[in-house]
Each structure stands twice: as C-alpha cells, then as structure tokens.
C-alpha cells in the first residue's frame, strides 16, 4: 500500500505540473564546506584552489574561457574567465533543446515547407532536411544533436511559433536558469551581432539538458538513421570526443553533450563524462592553439584533471541548481543528475529525473542544496529504520 500511495502521489504531482505548466527557479547550490559561495567565480583569469592532494591543472590550455564543474553537486572545480561573453556557435543548441524539446512528442510528424527552411545562414551545417518531406520530431532532434543541422533547428523553431519567438523563449529560459551572460539572436548558434554566451552559462544549459531523458539520449548518440532520398542514411555525430574520430579516441565515460564551430566563435565544446559515480561537465571556448583537435584535447585534459581530483578539489563557485519533481516522501525535489543508472558502463546515456519546462504558470519551489540533501538523508534514514524493523519482524 505504501508503494501504491507513493505512485499515486507522484502521478498526481506530475498531472498538476502538466496542466499548470512549470517555471524554473534558479537558486545557487551550496558548495562543499561550511561557506556558501556565489554562483561561479566572477573574477577574470584562472581560478582554482591549490589544496593538498589536488593535482595541478593541466598545462597547454589555450582556450579563451573554460570551466570544470561537478554536474551532481553543481560545484565549480576550476575555471578561466567563466563569465567572459563569447560567441557560442552550436553549443547554444543546448539552450535551444532545453527550451523546445519538451514541447513536442518525439513521434509527431512535420511536413517541411519552404517557409520552414527560410533564412538558413550561408555556410551552415545541415543534416539534409528537404522541403515537402515528412520528418518525425525525433528525426529532427537527431539532426540537431548529431549533425548540428541548422535546417533541423529551423523546422523545429517554425513548429514552435517562429524564429523570433523561439529566440525570445530561449532568452527567458536562460534567465530562469540564472544564466545572465547569454544574449540569444539566432537559435541555431549561427554568428549574429550581439549573440554571446559564456562557459558558465553553457555549463548551466548542459546540466539542465542532461536532466531530460530525451536530451541525454540524443546528445549521447554516436550514429543514427536519418530519412534520405530513397530510404534512410546513417549520420554520425560531429562530436569527435564522443564518437572517437579524426585521430581521437572516444573519451572514457563520455555521455555527450555538444560541439560547435563558426569563424567568429572558433571551436567550442561542452563535454560531460561519468566515472565511478561522478559526473563532470567541461566547457571549452575558442582555443588559441593551432593544434589539431585542440578543443577536444583541452576538454579531455580538463576532464582527466577533474576525475583525478577524486572529489578533493575545493570549489571556487557553484552552478545554479535546477530542481526536478520527485514526489518521494519528504524530498519533493532533488538536484540534477541525482539518479543515474549503470547504462553509462555499457556506452549508453545515464538516466536522470525528467526536467519539465513549461510556459509559466505555477512555479516549482527550489530548495537550497544543503537543505535538500538533508531532507533526502532524513527520509533515507527513516526508510532504512523501517526496513530494519520489518526484517526484525520477519517480513
């Protein structure tokens, strides 16, 4: 009966959310230690705490901006120019997905019109969407995540009410997530005057996206079938550190998320990996090195450093915490990336609580991370005590 009650409670909560809509509240997470820090490190230059037992940061980092964060706790472990406003290129598609992906069922079908494909920037990356053809929403998202297809973005934006409407909604989503460095002009990340983001904001978008099962699955997909002339064709993810291509090996434990390039932005990358119960996010913007695959190599070295710290690095700031409905006992909300299965051990994406983004209405209360974890521990302790009593009674 207790299980049935919990299921009913969760179903009722999710029904209410679906009807009312959900708006996100950005609350800074509490960092490790007794002192709460402001979200991320606002200063310029490299910021990292040289604590005993913590390895030195890797050498040869040439990116204009980068960040290493713990996706589970929200702690920023190290950063360089975390809030420097730079062109994001296609890494901005993470914000596009966080904003638009929850709105349309994956099985919905769109017949593409001439208007849908209007305005695609010259030299854009495309997946091959053709006027007059029918594509499922899932097809279009695979085109976005794997081939960084601006044509697929344009079709989804058209479904969402248009280019300008989508840009405005993305801007609002960024603000709700606490991402104050981002100005959206072109939802696909194509260079546009005034369009900027930061390593901090892009890490926030990726963390929010990874809380959505569909987002996590798409961004972790290396290869997939896509509708083409006379049938289907196989498309491969352009994220070289995910696929293991162009002279690179697949990064151990990688679970996504998005790469990008434009002539103005240079190479950009958000990468997430999970090892030994820890999920790390690294964002690297515009390496100045002329080395081949510099953005991937620098991201890989920062991920290596983060895992080598083994949780001992003293945080220099925090990401804003995004909360998801849970409905379990006294812990109604939990941090992003709290629930992860062993799927990553088999090369698949981790499964996380669903992040619901709505058009507004009833807001979900956000709890400080310390209080949230305290409630979760209390609830877990009570469950264990109950299990112990049941065992002692022979149940």
């Amino acid at each position: 009966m207790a299980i049935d009650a919990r299921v009913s409670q969760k179903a009722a909560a999710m029904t209410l959310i679906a009807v009312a809509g959900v708006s996100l509240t950005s609350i800074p997470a509490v960092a490790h230690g007794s002192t709460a820090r402001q979200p991320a490190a606002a200063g310029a230059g490299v910021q990292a705490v040289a604590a005993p037992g913590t390895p030195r940061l890797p050498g040869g980092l040439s990116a204009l901006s980068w960040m290493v964060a713990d996706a589970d706790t929200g702690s920023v472990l190290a950063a360089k120019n975390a809030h420097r406003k730079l062109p994001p290129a296609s890494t901005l598609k993470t914000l596009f997905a966080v904003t638009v992906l929850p709105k349309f069922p994956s099985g919905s079908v769109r017949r593409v019109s001439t208007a849908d494909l209007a305005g695609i920037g010259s030299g854009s990356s495309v997946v091959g969407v053709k006027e007059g053809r029918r594509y499922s929403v899932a097809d279009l998202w695979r085109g976005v995540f794997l081939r960084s297809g601006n044509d697929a973005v344009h079709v989804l934006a058209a479904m969402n009410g248009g280019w300008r409407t989508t840009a405005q909604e993305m801007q609002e989503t960024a603000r709700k997530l606490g991402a104050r460095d981002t100005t959206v002009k072109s939802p696909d990340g194509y260079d546009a005057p005034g369009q900027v983001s930061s390593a901090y904001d892009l890490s926030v978008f990726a963390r929010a996206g990874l809380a959505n099962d569909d987002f996590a699955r798409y961004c972790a997909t290396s290869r997939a079938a896509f509708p083409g002339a006379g049938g289907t064709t196989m498309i491969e993810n352009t994220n070289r550190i995910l696929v293991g291509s162009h002279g690179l090996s697949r990064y151990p434990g990688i679970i996504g998320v998005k790469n990008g390039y434009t002539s103005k932005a240079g190479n950009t990358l958000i990468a997430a990996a999970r090892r030994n119960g820890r999920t790390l996010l690294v964002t690297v913007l515009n390496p100045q090195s002329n080395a081949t695959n510099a953005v991937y190599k620098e991201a890989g070295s920062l991920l290596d450093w983060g895992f080598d710290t083994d949780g001992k690095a003293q945080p220099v700031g925090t990401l804003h915490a995004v909360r998801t409905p849970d409905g379990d006992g006294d812990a109604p909300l939990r941090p992003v990336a709290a629930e992860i299965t062993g799927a990553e051990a088999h090369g698949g994406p981790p499964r996380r609580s669903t992040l619901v983004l709505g058009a507004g209405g009833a807001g979900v209360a956000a709890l400080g991370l310390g209080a949230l974890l305290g409630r979760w521990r209390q609830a877990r302790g009570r469950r264990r005590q109950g299990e112990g009593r049941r065992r002692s009674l022979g149940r």
Side-chain angles (χ1 to χ4, degrees):
M1 293 180 64
I3 294 175
D4 293 339
R6 286 198 296 271
V7 171
S8 299
Q9 181 184 28
K10 185 169 184 178
M14 294 305 294
T15 300
L16 177 62
I17 290 164
V19 172
V22 175
S23 62
L24 295 177
T25 304
S26 62
I27 300 293
V30 177
H32 292 306
S34 59
T35 302
R37 294 171 175 80
Q38 294 300 313
V46 176
Q47 294 186 307
V49 177
T54 301
R56 290 185 178 183
L57 286 167
L61 298 175
S62 68
L64 296 180
S65 175
W66 54 260
M67 174 179 281
V68 184
D70 187 311
D72 300 299
T73 66
S75 295
V76 177
L77 307 182
K80 174 186 176 183
N81 301 330
H83 291 283
R84 181 172 177 177
K85 296 179 180 181
L86 295 165
S90 286
T91 55
L92 192 65
K93 288 181 171 80
T94 55
L95 176 59
F96 173 71
V98 168
T99 304
V100 178
L101 193 153
K103 292 187 175 186
F104 304 104
S106 61
S108 296
V109 175
R110 175 80 168 189
R111 183 184 291 278
V112 176
S113 68
T114 301
D116 290 348
L117 297 175
I120 298 175
S122 175
S124 287
S125 56
V126 295
V127 67
V129 175
K130 301 298 183 184
E131 177 187 344
R133 294 199 57 139
R134 295 166 60 88
Y135 299 88
S136 70
V137 167
D139 290 332
L140 294 170
W141 283 116
R142 282 187 283 268
V144 171
F145 278 94
L146 275 69
R147 299 304 300 175
S148 209
N150 290 359
D151 48 355
V153 173
H154 272 258
V155 175
L156 288 163
M159 294 172 63
N160 190 54
W163 201 244
R164 181 174 297 180
T165 295
T166 300
Q168 292 172 344
E169 290 184 2
M170 289 170 64
Q171 191 71 67
E172 180 61 22
T173 299
R175 293 295 177 262
K176 289 178 180 179
L177 289 169
R180 304 291 177 175
D181 305 324
T182 297
T183 300
V184 179
K185 300 293 184 180
S186 184
D188 54 7
Y190 191 83
D191 285 337
Q195 178 157 277
V196 291
S197 190
S198 67
Y200 173 77
D201 284 12
L202 292 167
S203 298
V204 169
F205 304 150
R207 187 180 184 223
L210 288 170
N212 180 292
D213 287 343
D214 290 332
F215 183 111
R217 184 175 64 256
Y218 289 133
C219 78
T221 301
S222 296
R223 298 170 185 84
F226 188 81
T232 60
T233 184
M234 293 300 296
I235 57 175
E236 182 175 272
N237 204 310
T238 59
N239 185 346
R240 299 177 184 183
I241 202 173
L242 173 71
V243 174
S245 65
H246 295 76
L248 293 172
S249 299
R250 176 183 168 93
Y251 187 83
I254 191 160
I255 57 174
V257 245
K258 191 70 188 77
N259 59 314
Y261 173 81
T262 66
S263 57
K264 186 175 180 180
N267 286 290
T268 60
L269 176 67
I270 314 168
R274 182 154 182 89
R275 293 188 201 167
N276 301 321
R278 297 178 65 212
T279 304
L280 298 183
L281 270 172
V282 164
T283 299
V284 177
L285 300 180
N286 199 354
Q288 299 299 288
S289 166
N290 292 322
T292 303
N293 294 320
V295 73
Y296 298 103
K297 291 176 179 177
E298 293 187 23
S301 66
L302 287 167
L303 283 169
D304 287 344
W305 174 84
F307 286 118
D308 288 345
T309 64
D310 196 25
K312 298 174 184 176
Q314 182 71 18
V316 297
T318 67
L319 298 175
H320 288 283
V322 181
R323 302 294 182 247
T324 58
D326 179 62
D328 183 14
D330 292 334
L333 301 166
R334 70 176 48 179
V336 165
E339 291 185 337
I340 297 180
T341 69
E344 67 273 12
H346 303 289
R351 182 176 180 83
R352 293 175 174 80
S353 302
T354 301
L355 174 66
V356 182
L357 290 175
V364 172
L367 303 178
L369 185 59
L372 180 67
L373 293 178
R375 288 190 178 190
W376 178 76
R377 293 188 185 104
Q378 291 174 6
R380 182 177 63 174
R382 285 195 294 271
R383 287 196 295 270
R384 287 179 174 175
Q385 290 174 4
E387 290 170 357
R389 286 196 295 270
R390 287 193 292 272
R391 283 194 296 268
S392 66
L393 294 173
R395 296 182 182 179

